[in-house]
Amino acid sequence: MIRVAVLDENDIFRRGLVACLETDEAFLVAHEARAGPVPEPVDVVLASALAATGLAGPGPPKLICGEPGRTDGRLPDGPADTVLSRTGLTEEQVLAAVRATACGLFVGPGPTRQGTAQDADAGRDGVLPERMKDVLRLLADGYGTREVAERIGFSERTVKSVVQQAQRRLGARSRAQAVAEGIRRGII
């Protein structure tokens, strides 16, 4: 179980994040408040940029819900600090981003690639085939190649091939970056 603290000065947004997390039994919302500090140990702090200003330094990874480039330099320092855009945020993105952050993966807006061969290869709207999404989701959940192969009924060689294709389509240099890019784009 992933223990999460949710900090956001906007009551409606904070309650929405808590509701998203409560839809998945893998998460436990251990603390909810307008701002820090977090009084108990958690695996991830999900916070707005403003609510996270008092959380600088070591501690659990921080997933910041804010607008990249509009945080006025208020992002905290620490392991796996990441930014997830509040605009158009979906439940799937929240759940996947919290999982990835708990695993130590970077989740961020990244550069836009509109109009590149990578986007054309991934489809006009960035959609990947279902089997690629399934593989990336399992990787995001921490499964290795053998475990992914067992869960979806593919050979390990096929899983490795699917991962390489996903990396190419998403412009990623590693499987971790492919997972992060899939999360960032809202694909997984």
Side-chain angles (χ1 to χ4, degrees):
M1 180 158 304
I2 299 172
R3 296 174 52 83
V4 183
V6 180
L7 305 175
D8 198 295
E9 64 281 358
N10 182 312
D11 292 336
I12 300 290
F13 192 80
R14 185 180 68 250
R15 289 177 185 152
L17 291 173
V18 169
C20 287
L21 293 167
E22 289 176 344
T23 65
D24 191 320
E25 60 189 33
F27 301 106
L28 171 66
V29 177
H31 180 72
E32 173 190 355
R34 289 177 169 256
V38 177
E40 55 189 287
V42 294
D43 300 306
V44 175
V45 175
L46 176 58
S48 69
L50 181 61
T53 54
L55 301 176
K62 299 156 195 83
L63 175 59
I64 308 303
C65 284
E67 294 309 320
R70 292 180 22 193
T71 57
D72 302 324
R74 294 181 293 190
L75 292 182
D77 296 322
D81 288 339
T82 62
V83 179
L84 190 62
S85 176
R86 288 169 87 102
T87 307
L89 190 61
T90 66
E91 179 179 334
E92 292 79 20
Q93 288 173 322
V94 170
L95 298 177
V98 172
R99 271 192 187 91
T101 302
C103 293
L105 296 174
F106 174 80
V107 181
T112 58
R113 294 186 181 88
Q114 295 176 340
T116 67
Q118 291 167 344
D119 280 340
D121 195 19
R124 205 179 301 148
D125 58 359
V127 175
L128 296 178
E130 275 307 309
R131 94 172 166 172
M132 277 189 195
K133 290 183 199 178
D134 292 342
V135 169
L136 289 175
R137 283 185 195 112
L138 290 169
L139 291 174
D141 285 340
Y143 292 98
T145 303
R146 176 175 287 151
E147 296 165 313
V148 171
E150 290 170 0
R151 291 201 59 137
I152 61 177
F154 291 155
S155 70
E156 287 183 54
R157 186 174 183 183
T158 300
V159 170
K160 288 178 184 178
S161 175
V162 170
V163 170
Q164 288 174 346
Q165 290 172 26
Q167 285 176 229
R168 187 182 87 257
R169 287 180 178 215
L170 296 171
R173 288 176 273 172
S174 68
R175 62 178 43 204
Q177 188 180 12
V179 168
E181 186 66 19
I183 292 168
R184 183 191 71 76
R185 292 186 188 191
I187 296 170
I188 62 168

